[in-house]
Amino acid sequence: GDSVTQMEGPVTLSEEAFLTINCTYTATGYPSLFWYVQYPGEGLQLLLKATKADDKGSNKGFEATYRKETTSFHLEKGSVQVSDSAVYFCALSSSNQFYFGTGTSLTVIP
Amino acid sequence: DAGVTQSPTHLIKTRGQQVTLRCSPKSGHDTVSWYQQALGQGPQFIFQYYEEEERQRGNFPDRFSGHQFPNYSSELNVNALLLGDSALYLCASSPGTRGYEQYFGPGTRLTVT
């Protein structure tokens, strides 16, 4: 069945460091791909999305490109801030079903 | 504009009991999805309701059932509770034409003792 595998955490980075969180997927059809973020004490929020191959989703300095050839949707940010500390979830939507990864906890230290 | 709201916030039940959780979608949204999130895990899709019908279902037993009302609000019912049903239950709403654009509520924390 469809599934998402994302890089295990926790991840700790210094402020202004480069961030990559890996995400790969398995899907039988043509899924849409997402990154959600959960800040401490808050609910899940959609961070960015891509609905077809080669699309690049971007928001708040974060980017991810839908790579069909490698079945990947890695999250990147060039310079992280303390306020980016959160749990990040990769997710897939196909045929009105949704699959989430297990989440990657990011802590950014000053 | 109120976002997705869920009630109650917390709930404690005993094994074998039944529970009902409630969700009101974001204004303008007609599709509601329910998820179970165990501690330290990602959300697992339970089912999705659209036009008062279950449109899609994840890998959950029939003990999990739902309903959507004409005003698009929704209920999740769980019968014969097990200890393993203890989790955060999340509701997400989306517009029917863009079902992938989900907005999540804060969740209901269910503890089964």
Side-chain angles (χ1 to χ4, degrees):
Chain A
D2 294 0
S3 66
V4 170
T5 302
Q6 68 180 99
M7 167 179 157
E8 288 191 16
V11 174
T12 302
L13 294 174
S14 298
E15 207 165 21
E16 299 183 2
F18 184 85
L19 168 72
T20 300
I21 301 178
N22 290 337
C23 172
T24 57
Y25 68 90
T26 301
T28 51
Y30 300 94
S32 296
L33 300 173
F34 311 88
W35 278 98
Y36 281 83
V37 60
Q38 189 167 34
Y39 297 104
E42 298 185 17
L44 276 168
Q45 301 175 26
L46 178 62
L47 180 60
L48 54 83
K49 69 179 188 292
T51 56
K52 62 183 187 299
D54 299 326
D55 268 3
K56 177 186 280 189
S58 61
N59 186 25
K60 299 181 181 181
F62 291 89
E63 292 183 341
T65 301
Y66 188 164
R67 303 276 188 208
K68 190 166 182 287
E69 63 276 12
T70 54
T71 62
S72 65
F73 192 57
H74 304 322
L75 182 68
E76 295 183 338
K77 186 174 185 183
S79 176
V80 294
Q81 305 301 312
V82 172
S83 57
D84 294 325
S85 297
V87 180
Y88 293 81
F89 292 92
C90 184
L92 170 162
S93 169
S94 178
S95 302
N96 293 316
Q97 287 228 29
F98 297 86
Y99 303 87
F100 281 77
T102 53
T104 301
S105 175
L106 170 67
T107 300
V108 180
I109 54 177
Chain B
D1 171 31
V4 179
T5 60
Q6 292 186 242
S7 63
T9 306
H10 296 90
L11 205 50
I12 300 174
K13 290 286 189 178
T14 303
R15 237 178 339 176
Q17 286 188 317
Q18 178 264 345
V19 68
T20 298
L21 311 181
R22 295 177 175 82
C23 171
S24 291
K26 184 177 167 63
S27 178
H29 288 185
D30 56 7
T31 302
V32 173
S33 301
W34 286 93
Y35 293 83
Q36 181 192 67
Q37 186 177 17
L39 204 60
Q41 300 296 315
Q44 288 202 35
F45 177 71
I46 302 175
F47 41 54
Q48 182 182 83
Y49 275 83
Y50 174 67
E51 291 189 341
E52 301 180 51
E53 292 196 359
E54 184 181 289
R55 178 157 73 173
Q56 193 58 271
R57 187 178 184 93
N59 189 24
F60 277 79
D62 292 345
R63 298 187 297 109
F64 290 77
S65 63
H67 188 77
Q68 186 178 36
F69 299 93
N71 67 353
Y72 308 123
S73 67
S74 177
E75 289 181 349
L76 163 66
N77 300 292
V78 187
N79 294 322
L81 285 167
L82 304 174
L83 295 179
D85 295 332
S86 295
L88 182 67
Y89 287 85
L90 297 169
C91 170
S93 74
S94 53
T97 53
R98 298 190 305 280
Y100 51 80
E101 284 190 10
Q102 298 185 101
Y103 289 78
F104 281 82
T108 294
R109 172 72 63 187
L110 172 65
T111 302
V112 182
T113 62

PDB file of all heavy atoms in Angstrom, chain A residues 43-55:
ATOM      1  N   GLY A  43      -1.444  22.940  16.960  1.00  0.00           N
ATOM      2  CA  GLY A  43      -1.912  21.873  16.079  1.00  0.00           C
ATOM      3  C   GLY A  43      -1.098  21.794  14.807  1.00  0.00           C
ATOM      4  O   GLY A  43      -0.250  22.631  14.522  1.00  0.00           O
ATOM      5  N   LEU A  44      -1.371  20.756  14.021  1.00  0.00           N
ATOM      6  CA  LEU A  44      -0.704  20.570  12.739  1.00  0.00           C
ATOM      7  C   LEU A  44      -1.068  21.680  11.770  1.00  0.00           C
ATOM      8  O   LEU A  44      -2.233  22.044  11.637  1.00  0.00           O
ATOM      9  CB  LEU A  44      -1.136  19.246  12.112  1.00  0.00           C
ATOM     10  CG  LEU A  44      -0.410  17.987  12.552  1.00  0.00           C
ATOM     11  CD1 LEU A  44      -1.169  16.766  12.066  1.00  0.00           C
ATOM     12  CD2 LEU A  44       0.999  17.970  12.007  1.00  0.00           C
ATOM     13  N   GLN A  45      -0.045  22.188  11.063  1.00  0.00           N
ATOM     14  CA  GLN A  45      -0.284  23.232  10.061  1.00  0.00           C
ATOM     15  C   GLN A  45       0.350  22.804   8.746  1.00  0.00           C
ATOM     16  O   GLN A  45       1.462  22.274   8.733  1.00  0.00           O
ATOM     17  CB  GLN A  45       0.354  24.557  10.481  1.00  0.00           C
ATOM     18  CG  GLN A  45      -0.128  25.119  11.795  1.00  0.00           C
ATOM     19  CD  GLN A  45       0.656  26.358  12.185  1.00  0.00           C
ATOM     20  OE1 GLN A  45       1.199  27.072  11.323  1.00  0.00           O
ATOM     21  NE2 GLN A  45       0.741  26.611  13.473  1.00  0.00           N
ATOM     22  N   LEU A  46      -0.350  23.072   7.661  1.00  0.00           N
ATOM     23  CA  LEU A  46       0.218  22.787   6.343  1.00  0.00           C
ATOM     24  C   LEU A  46       1.357  23.774   6.080  1.00  0.00           C
ATOM     25  O   LEU A  46       1.166  24.986   6.143  1.00  0.00           O
ATOM     26  CB  LEU A  46      -0.863  22.932   5.278  1.00  0.00           C
ATOM     27  CG  LEU A  46      -0.433  22.727   3.836  1.00  0.00           C
ATOM     28  CD1 LEU A  46       0.088  21.304   3.622  1.00  0.00           C
ATOM     29  CD2 LEU A  46      -1.585  23.009   2.877  1.00  0.00           C
ATOM     30  N   LEU A  47       2.542  23.260   5.789  1.00  0.00           N
ATOM     31  CA  LEU A  47       3.697  24.105   5.517  1.00  0.00           C
ATOM     32  C   LEU A  47       3.836  24.348   4.017  1.00  0.00           C
ATOM     33  O   LEU A  47       3.986  25.478   3.567  1.00  0.00           O
ATOM     34  CB  LEU A  47       4.958  23.443   6.065  1.00  0.00           C
ATOM     35  CG  LEU A  47       6.275  24.197   5.863  1.00  0.00           C
ATOM     36  CD1 LEU A  47       6.235  25.566   6.524  1.00  0.00           C
ATOM     37  CD2 LEU A  47       7.454  23.372   6.403  1.00  0.00           C
ATOM     38  N   LEU A  48       3.798  23.276   3.224  1.00  0.00           N
ATOM     39  CA  LEU A  48       3.871  23.429   1.781  1.00  0.00           C
ATOM     40  C   LEU A  48       3.354  22.168   1.106  1.00  0.00           C
ATOM     41  O   LEU A  48       3.223  21.132   1.745  1.00  0.00           O
ATOM     42  CB  LEU A  48       5.306  23.749   1.332  1.00  0.00           C
ATOM     43  CG  LEU A  48       6.433  22.817   1.772  1.00  0.00           C
ATOM     44  CD1 LEU A  48       6.554  21.612   0.868  1.00  0.00           C
ATOM     45  CD2 LEU A  48       7.765  23.562   1.791  1.00  0.00           C
ATOM     46  N   LYS A  49       3.065  22.301  -0.185  1.00  0.00           N
ATOM     47  CA  LYS A  49       2.529  21.162  -0.918  1.00  0.00           C
ATOM     48  C   LYS A  49       3.014  21.149  -2.357  1.00  0.00           C
ATOM     49  O   LYS A  49       3.469  22.170  -2.879  1.00  0.00           O
ATOM     50  CB  LYS A  49       1.007  21.188  -0.908  1.00  0.00           C
ATOM     51  CG  LYS A  49       0.396  22.318  -1.737  1.00  0.00           C
ATOM     52  CD  LYS A  49      -1.112  22.256  -1.707  1.00  0.00           C
ATOM     53  CE  LYS A  49      -1.731  23.260  -2.684  1.00  0.00           C
ATOM     54  NZ  LYS A  49      -1.530  24.649  -2.281  1.00  0.00           N
ATOM     55  N   ALA A  50       2.926  19.968  -2.991  1.00  0.00           N
ATOM     56  CA  ALA A  50       3.205  19.815  -4.416  1.00  0.00           C
ATOM     57  C   ALA A  50       2.249  18.761  -4.944  1.00  0.00           C
ATOM     58  O   ALA A  50       2.114  17.692  -4.344  1.00  0.00           O
ATOM     59  CB  ALA A  50       4.653  19.402  -4.650  1.00  0.00           C
ATOM     60  N   THR A  51       1.568  19.070  -6.022  1.00  0.00           N
ATOM     61  CA  THR A  51       0.513  18.177  -6.484  1.00  0.00           C
ATOM     62  C   THR A  51       0.898  17.349  -7.704  1.00  0.00           C
ATOM     63  O   THR A  51       0.157  16.443  -8.089  1.00  0.00           O
ATOM     64  CB  THR A  51      -0.760  18.969  -6.800  1.00  0.00           C
ATOM     65  OG1 THR A  51      -0.436  19.982  -7.766  1.00  0.00           O
ATOM     66  CG2 THR A  51      -1.302  19.629  -5.546  1.00  0.00           C
ATOM     67  N   LYS A  52       2.034  17.639  -8.323  1.00  0.00           N
ATOM     68  CA  LYS A  52       2.462  16.799  -9.435  1.00  0.00           C
ATOM     69  C   LYS A  52       3.977  16.806  -9.545  1.00  0.00           C
ATOM     70  O   LYS A  52       4.665  17.657  -8.974  1.00  0.00           O
ATOM     71  CB  LYS A  52       1.833  17.254 -10.749  1.00  0.00           C
ATOM     72  CG  LYS A  52       2.186  18.653 -11.194  1.00  0.00           C
ATOM     73  CD  LYS A  52       1.435  18.996 -12.468  1.00  0.00           C
ATOM     74  CE  LYS A  52       1.881  20.326 -13.042  1.00  0.00           C
ATOM     75  NZ  LYS A  52       1.666  21.462 -12.157  1.00  0.00           N
ATOM     76  N   ALA A  53       4.484  15.832 -10.299  1.00  0.00           N
ATOM     77  CA  ALA A  53       5.931  15.662 -10.440  1.00  0.00           C
ATOM     78  C   ALA A  53       6.599  16.947 -10.916  1.00  0.00           C
ATOM     79  O   ALA A  53       6.060  17.661 -11.756  1.00  0.00           O
ATOM     80  CB  ALA A  53       6.223  14.515 -11.400  1.00  0.00           C
ATOM     81  N   ASP A  54       7.769  17.218 -10.314  1.00  0.00           N
ATOM     82  CA  ASP A  54       8.624  18.369 -10.614  1.00  0.00           C
ATOM     83  C   ASP A  54       8.108  19.683 -10.011  1.00  0.00           C
ATOM     84  O   ASP A  54       8.787  20.699 -10.123  1.00  0.00           O
ATOM     85  CB  ASP A  54       8.865  18.550 -12.110  1.00  0.00           C
ATOM     86  CG  ASP A  54       9.559  17.348 -12.727  1.00  0.00           C
ATOM     87  OD1 ASP A  54      10.396  16.732 -12.038  1.00  0.00           O
ATOM     88  OD2 ASP A  54       9.256  17.012 -13.880  1.00  0.00           O
ATOM     89  N   ASP A  55       6.942  19.654  -9.389  1.00  0.00           N
ATOM     90  CA  ASP A  55       6.459  20.850  -8.681  1.00  0.00           C
ATOM     91  C   ASP A  55       7.382  21.128  -7.508  1.00  0.00           C
ATOM     92  O   ASP A  55       7.857  20.215  -6.842  1.00  0.00           O
ATOM     93  CB  ASP A  55       5.042  20.615  -8.136  1.00  0.00           C
ATOM     94  CG  ASP A  55       3.970  21.063  -9.099  1.00  0.00           C
ATOM     95  OD1 ASP A  55       4.308  21.506 -10.212  1.00  0.00           O
ATOM     96  OD2 ASP A  55       2.786  20.956  -8.725  1.00  0.00           O
TER      97      ASP A  55
END
